[in-house]
């Protein structure tokens, strides 16, 4: 057997719940695990997500989820990695994998009634990361196969049967054991609530949102007597837990709610109808205001491009954009539709939007798509090359760049940017393969590209050396 876990019994951990003063439980003796194995596990986990599961790559939705994530993680005060992905799965669920890789199911996005509720679950998952719950659940012995363990953790956390069954057979009873460990820790859940509510409040959201969301789900379950959503299986809601969550929220000083209450979530939920395979229609059950109906109407036209010419209603979109000047989603859809209709003023709109929201990668992505559509491919290449390194999430942007070079038949560039895209999501084996391909066909060894290829190879080798250090000699 390749894998051996040393399972810790968390009920033996010296946790004392004092009402105001919870100790920070980031156990320092697990630091080694963090720096080497956890990075490696996080990369393997992220790779498993991208290769075995359906993710939502809609840049607007991803950017929105990451904005909420960034708001919360900036309040954690810990220098940790975080990345957020959307899983195309109608189960109401979210999870925290190794090394701060957080997954949000589309089912959760659809069921949240406010951004605060959605943020509360994200904050809860972020707290699982800052409190090191996953790495405290089990330690690894020497010869760890990161990819297998990461796949197993993904299968358990996402709650899918197939891959889990396959791996569980391979691992014997160990899979089940870990499953029990991951799912049944009340102490960890309490801790994630405690710190999550704190982050939530500091990020400007209602600290009551977590109790409200879990309470509502649990009540709905009692009325409908269905199978509980995945999130309730992993997060059993007890009276005691809800009471604790409310007490915790009441302890915190809440900020005055800002006068502008964003309702981006509704627009994001409308996007679910067009960006996922599994989500059933959400707009039938929602009461939409005029602007939201306008957004939906135009989104439908943009996505259902069948035989008939699309009937856009740009007037209502312009009105919505004027009435809600802080809502970038109306402006973005307007620019997308202008692009579709060949209106070149879209480029000016994108230019304005990128300068106004310089940290939003989705705007750069759509700007590049617009440049491509309006026959400015070289400018799209320049924009992507210049902007992508400034973002934390680079996968979509580098993939677009790789595609552009492939169309120009510059295969070495295409391989190189594809290698960077895969490096960004932790898929080191694929990145290594691609960068080697790029090197093979790059003839000019003095070129800038050749130097960049070498730099990436050095980065990749550093990572594999870390891996080797963990192997027994
Ligand atoms: Zn939890």
């Amino acid at each position: 057997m390749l894998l051996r876990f040393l399972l810790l019994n968390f009920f033996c951990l010296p946790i004392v719940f004092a009402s105001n003063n919870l100790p920070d439980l980031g156990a320092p003796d697990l630091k080694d695990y963090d720096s080497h194995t956890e990075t490696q596990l996080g990369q393997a986990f992220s790779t498993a997500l991208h290769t075995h599961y359906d993710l939502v790559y809609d840049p607007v939705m991803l950017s929105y989820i990451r904005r909420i994530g960034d708001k919360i993680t900036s309040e954690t005060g810990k220098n940790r990695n975080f990345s957020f992905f959307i899983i195309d799965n109608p189960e109401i669920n979210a999870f925290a994998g190794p090394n701060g890789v957080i997954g949000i199911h589309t089912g959760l996005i659809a069921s949240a009634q406010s951004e605060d509720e959605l943020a509360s679950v994200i904050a809860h998952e972020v707290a699982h990361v800052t409190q090191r719950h996953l790495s405290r659940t089990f330690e690894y012995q020497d010869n760890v196969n990161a990819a297998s363990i990461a796949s197993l953790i993904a299968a358990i956390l996402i709650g899918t049967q197939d891959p889990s069954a396959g791996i569980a057979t391979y691992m014997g009873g160990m899979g089940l054991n870990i499953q029990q460990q991951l799912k049944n820790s009340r102490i960890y859940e309490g801790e994630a609530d405690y710190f999550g509510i704190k982050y939530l409040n500091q990020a400007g959201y209602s600290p009551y949102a977590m109790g409200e969301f879990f309470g509502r789900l649990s009540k709905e379950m009692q009325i409908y007597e269905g199978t509980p959503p995945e999130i309730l299986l992993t997060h059993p809601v007890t009276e005691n837990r809800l009471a604790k969550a409310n007490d915790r929220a009441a302890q915190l000083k809440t900020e005055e709610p800002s006068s502008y209450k964003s309702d981006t979530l509704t627009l994001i939920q409308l996007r679910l109808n067009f960006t996922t395979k599994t989500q059933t229609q959400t707009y039938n059950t929602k009461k939409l205001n005029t602007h939201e109906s306008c957004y939906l109407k135009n989104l439908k036209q943009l996505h259902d491009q069948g035989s008939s010419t699309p009937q856009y209603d740009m007037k209502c979109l312009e009105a919505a954009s004027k009435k809600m000047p802080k809502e970038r989603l109306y402006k973005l859809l307007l620019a997308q539709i202008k692009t579709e209709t060949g209106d070149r003023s879209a480029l000016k709109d994108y230019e304005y939007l990128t300068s106004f929201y310089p940290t939003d990668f989705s705007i750069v992505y759509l700007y590049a798509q617009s440049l491509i559509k309006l026959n400015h491919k070289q400018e799209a290449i320049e924009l992507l090359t210049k902007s992508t390194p400034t973002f934390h999430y680079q996968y979509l942007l580098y993939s677009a760049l790789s595609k552009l070079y492939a169309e120009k038949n510059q295969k070495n560039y295409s391989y190189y940017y594809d290698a960077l895209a895969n490096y960004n999501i932790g898929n080191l084996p694929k990145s290594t393969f691609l960068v080697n391909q790029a090197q093979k066909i790059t003839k000019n060894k003095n070129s800038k590209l050749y130097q960049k290829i070498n730099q990436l190879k050095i980065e990749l080798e550093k990572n594999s050396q870390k891996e080797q250090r963990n192997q027994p000699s």
Side-chain angles (χ1 to χ4, degrees):
M1 168 82 74
L2 266 172
L3 313 163
R4 271 196 72 201
F5 286 80
L6 174 68
L7 296 170
L8 298 178
N9 181 348
F10 358 87
F11 298 103
C12 295
L13 288 170
I15 298 173
V16 183
F17 269 86
S19 60
N20 296 322
N21 209 0
L22 256 187
D24 181 341
L25 297 157
D29 53 336
L30 292 174
K31 273 251 162 71
D32 277 348
Y33 170 97
D34 178 49
S35 51
H36 303 303
T37 314
E38 190 164 13
T39 308
Q40 208 184 314
L41 266 181
Q43 285 162 341
F45 183 79
S46 167
T47 301
L49 289 189
H50 284 81
T51 42
H52 302 310
Y53 298 91
D54 286 325
L55 301 191
V56 176
Y57 291 102
D58 175 35
V60 176
M61 286 178 63
L62 267 174
S63 170
Y64 172 68
I65 291 295
R66 282 169 178 260
R67 284 206 295 281
I68 299 176
D70 286 347
K71 258 197 224 171
I72 291 163
T73 55
S74 66
E75 300 301 330
T76 60
K78 289 186 183 168
N79 197 12
R80 287 212 50 136
N81 290 318
F82 284 98
S83 46
F84 299 88
F85 301 104
I86 303 172
I87 319 292
D88 192 354
N89 185 321
E91 279 284 345
I92 301 171
N93 198 11
F95 56 83
N99 207 28
V101 178
I102 290 176
I104 316 292
H105 283 210
T106 47
L108 173 68
I109 298 172
S111 69
Q113 284 187 356
S114 64
E115 185 171 307
D116 297 62
E117 284 191 0
L118 180 58
S120 79
V121 180
I122 296 176
H124 175 97
E125 299 304 331
V126 164
H128 275 309
V129 176
T130 60
Q131 299 314 109
R132 317 182 46 72
H133 289 158
L134 196 62
S135 52
R136 280 155 59 196
T137 305
F138 42 83
E139 277 186 352
Y140 302 95
Q141 296 214 330
D142 288 340
N143 38 6
V144 166
N145 180 331
S148 310
I149 294 178
S151 300
L152 175 70
I153 296 173
I156 294 168
L157 292 176
I158 295 172
T160 42
Q161 287 309 309
D162 294 346
S164 151
I167 297 162
T169 315
Y170 156 65
M171 293 190 60
M174 206 59 87
L176 262 180
N177 249 334
I178 298 166
Q179 191 153 8
Q180 289 312 314
Q181 297 267 347
L182 285 175
K183 286 195 170 176
N184 289 324
S185 171
R186 278 212 194 142
I187 291 175
Y188 284 2
E189 288 313 319
E191 224 178 275
D193 286 354
Y194 185 94
F195 286 97
I197 290 169
K198 179 177 150 214
Y199 303 149
L200 192 63
N201 182 59
Q202 286 171 344
Y205 292 109
S206 163
Y208 293 97
M210 195 184 294
E212 277 164 14
F213 183 63
F214 283 130
R216 185 162 53 76
L217 280 189
S218 142
K219 219 179 248 165
E220 279 173 13
M221 284 323 305
Q222 284 161 13
I223 296 168
Y224 296 111
E225 289 178 1
T227 327
E230 193 65 30
I231 204 160
L232 290 185
L233 295 175
T234 48
H235 299 82
V237 177
T238 58
E239 289 291 327
N240 181 32
R241 187 174 173 199
L242 287 182
K244 266 195 178 152
N246 277 329
D247 285 352
R248 174 69 175 139
Q251 282 169 13
L252 299 165
K253 268 189 208 147
T254 46
E255 304 271 322
E256 282 289 301
S258 66
S259 55
Y260 168 69
K261 198 74 181 158
S262 145
D263 204 11
T264 313
L265 178 66
T266 303
L267 304 183
I268 293 292
Q269 286 170 334
L270 293 177
R271 294 186 78 82
L272 282 173
N273 295 292
F274 309 100
T275 53
T276 81
K277 285 183 218 148
T278 61
Q279 203 61 51
T280 45
Q281 298 201 329
T282 55
Y283 47 78
N284 293 335
T285 52
K286 276 231 133 189
K287 280 193 194 103
L288 301 178
N289 66 31
T290 330
H291 303 319
E292 292 157 355
S293 301
C294 166
Y295 190 79
L296 174 64
K297 186 163 57 174
N298 282 292
L299 207 55
K300 258 189 192 163
Q301 294 298 318
L302 189 67
H303 285 271
D304 302 345
Q305 283 174 357
S307 47
S308 58
T309 22
Q311 304 291 315
Y312 296 117
D313 182 352
M314 287 162 78
K315 260 194 187 149
C316 77
L317 213 47
E318 268 159 12
S321 162
K322 257 191 200 138
K323 190 90 186 161
M324 316 276 286
K326 286 185 179 170
E327 181 49 81
R328 68 187 86 173
L329 264 67
Y330 290 118
K331 293 188 176 65
L332 273 176
L333 186 58
L334 195 57
Q336 257 186 295
I337 289 172
K338 279 185 182 175
T339 304
E340 287 300 317
T341 56
D343 179 349
R344 309 179 65 80
S345 72
L347 299 177
K348 275 240 144 27
D349 295 355
Y350 279 120
E351 206 175 306
Y352 165 80
L353 282 165
T354 45
S355 64
F356 207 79
Y357 302 106
T359 57
D360 187 341
F361 77 87
S362 72
I363 296 172
V364 168
Y365 180 85
L366 293 173
Y367 189 4
Q369 297 304 318
S370 177
L371 284 166
I372 295 165
K373 186 110 192 171
L374 298 170
N375 283 320
H376 295 283
K377 285 193 182 172
Q378 192 50 40
E379 282 176 40
I381 286 178
E382 282 160 20
L383 173 71
L384 289 168
T385 312
K386 186 186 73 186
S387 311
T388 309
T390 64
F391 300 112
H392 183 63
Y393 180 65
Q394 305 171 334
Y395 180 73
L396 282 180
L397 302 176
Y398 277 139
S399 296
L401 202 47
S402 169
K403 209 174 143 209
L404 278 167
Y405 275 113
E407 282 165 13
K408 285 176 60 151
N409 223 6
Q410 287 180 269
K411 281 188 184 154
N412 49 355
Y413 279 90
S414 178
Y415 281 134
Y416 170 70
Y417 284 114
D418 201 6
L420 282 182
N422 280 283
Y423 184 72
N424 184 244
I425 55 162
N427 195 341
L428 305 192
K430 192 167 177 189
S431 183
T432 306
F433 171 80
L434 289 163
V435 80
N436 284 334
Q437 292 295 312
Q439 193 177 41
K440 252 186 231 166
I441 55 173
T442 303
K443 298 277 180 279
N444 182 357
K445 298 201 169 16
N446 296 317
S447 66
K448 257 194 177 164
L449 177 64
Y450 201 85
Q451 289 167 15
K452 284 182 182 171
I453 287 171
N454 272 333
Q455 275 170 14
L456 180 56
K457 285 193 75 160
I458 290 167
E459 283 296 310
L460 284 161
E461 270 159 28
K462 265 192 219 158
N463 274 287
S464 75
Q465 274 165 8
K466 269 183 202 164
E467 205 166 324
Q468 276 157 15
R469 227 183 304 157
N470 283 344
Q471 304 287 320
S473 45

